[in-house]
């Protein structure tokens, strides 16, 4: 059985409002479960693709600071 995680995650959150998306993200992080990481990666991919250069620089600065 071949599962396309990207498609599954996108189908699961498509049409969600901001509150629902925040809840999904917070729940995934708070659960601490490894199985949630691919889904968070897919959401980050969407953020990255939809961000302009300035926003990407902000994201990278935030990530860099968080990893210190």
């Amino acid at each position: 059985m071949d599962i396309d995680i990207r498609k599954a995650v996108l189908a699961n959150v498509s049409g969600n409002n901001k509150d629902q998306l925040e809840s999904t993200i917070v729940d995934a992080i708070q659960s601490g479960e490894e199985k949630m990481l691919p889904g968070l990666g897919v959401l980050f991919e969407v953020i990255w693709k939809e961000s302009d250069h300035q926003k990407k620089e902000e994201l990278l600065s935030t990530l860099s600071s968080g990893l210190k």
Side-chain angles (χ1 to χ4, degrees):
M1 185 164 127
D2 191 25
I3 298 174
D4 187 333
I5 294 173
R6 186 176 282 108
K7 285 181 184 177
V9 170
L10 293 174
N12 193 42
V13 297
S14 288
N16 284 7
N17 63 36
K18 289 180 3 178
D19 290 336
Q20 291 169 316
L21 291 171
E22 180 180 14
S23 178
T24 297
I25 293 167
V26 169
D27 288 348
I29 293 170
Q30 287 180 345
S31 77
E33 295 182 41
E34 296 284 321
K35 68 181 182 179
M36 303 303 267
L37 294 176
L40 290 171
V42 172
L43 296 179
F44 183 77
E45 180 181 49
V46 172
I47 292 168
W48 188 261
K49 286 180 175 180
E50 294 296 317
S51 297
D52 62 18
H53 179 73
Q54 180 179 348
K55 189 61 169 178
K56 286 178 181 177
E57 288 296 321
E58 291 174 24
L59 289 167
L60 291 169
S61 292
T62 301
L63 182 58
S64 178
S65 294
L67 295 174
K68 289 183 180 176

